[in-house]
Amino acid sequence: MTTPWPRTEWTINRDANTLQPGHDLLVGDGPSFLNFDQALSSFLYQRPHDSNAGRSDLWRIALPQRAGWLSQITIGPDLLTAVVDGEALDGAVLELSWAAGNDLQHVDGAGAYRFALPDGLAHDSLLMLRREDQWLDWRHFPAPTYGPARHASVVWEQPGPELELLLVNGEGKHLECKQEVPEGDSRKKMLKTIAAFASQDGGTVLIGVRDDLQIVGLPEKPTVDKQELQVVGMIRDSVEPAPPYESRVIDRDGKKVLAIEVSGGGQMYAYRDRDSQRPEFYVRVGPNTVPARHHEIAAGFQQAPTATTF
């Protein structure tokens, strides 16, 4: 069942250290059961347990929190607009805080609330919707140093400043810069880096930016769209499985920069060389992409999948 954010979730799992179904009896003040799974099935569903299900997650329970939430935040060069929705907003306040201060607005109902940003959005800002000491919803705005960290409800109307924030710390564990769409060995290096980003906690490749962090933009020919499709095709043909990423074009004073924003995928991703067809695994160490060690590969394949969606 799809539920709106925010929500509280509980996941009920079988303890790996407990006896498996069929090895114990549950006897108490209420009905008796052959095992724990049958008791939960009876309690939650009033039906017998399917012993052939074979799932590690027995049930997940989601409780929507409808008191108040931030449905959309729009960040411009000099203005932040927060759209508030909810069913119990009496006494709520919106607080925008940053290292040098904060700004409070009282919420008198659902609607749009605006914060002036004379110096732009400060690094590491926090927007909080709260009632007394209870938080209802919040968004954090660190410098976007890696990956598609932006929440789906956040709309940036200042791609130029956002690009500058990406570049402020230089190339490192979560950022790689390329002057143009790479070829040859440079292409292999970029694809290995994308696999490393996905195998760890994400990263961004900027194409149209020199190693010294000067924004030069993509060449005019071929078109930006064709260059983006070329990079997307490289990733599709060389990284397995398909990594979680987004590609987007950032306009900075008329110069187009292609950003490949890779999320951490919760598993190991392989670069497959077109000649040898052998899968190769990589990790990011500082600004360098290096072959993964055996224990890093093993640990990556032991990570639990995270694809369950509500």
Side-chain angles (χ1 to χ4, degrees), residues 207-229:
I207 304 176
V209 179
R210 295 195 319 222
D211 290 342
D212 61 3
L213 306 184
Q214 294 300 309
I215 301 171
V216 296
L218 297 168
E220 294 183 0
K221 294 183 179 180
T223 65
V224 172
D225 288 344
K226 287 185 177 179
Q227 294 179 72
E228 184 175 9
L229 287 174

Side-chain angles (χ1 to χ4, degrees), residues 61-72:
I61 303 170
L63 173 66
Q65 304 292 340
R66 305 287 297 177
W69 66 92
L70 301 167
S71 56
Q72 181 171 304

Side-chain angles (χ1 to χ4, degrees), residues 67-70 82-85 88-97 102-111 113-115 126-139:
W69 66 92
L70 301 167
V83 178
V84 178
D85 203 350
L89 294 170
D90 294 343
V93 297
L94 264 177
E95 178 183 9
L96 180 64
S97 59
N102 70 330
D103 190 359
L104 279 174
Q105 290 194 37
H106 291 279
V107 175
D108 55 9
Y113 296 84
R114 296 171 177 83
F115 293 88
L126 175 66
L127 179 66
M128 176 81 70
L129 175 65
R130 61 182 175 84
R131 185 173 51 232
E132 296 178 349
D133 59 350
Q134 176 190 17
W135 67 267
L136 302 176
D137 198 0
W138 59 277
R139 298 289 184 276

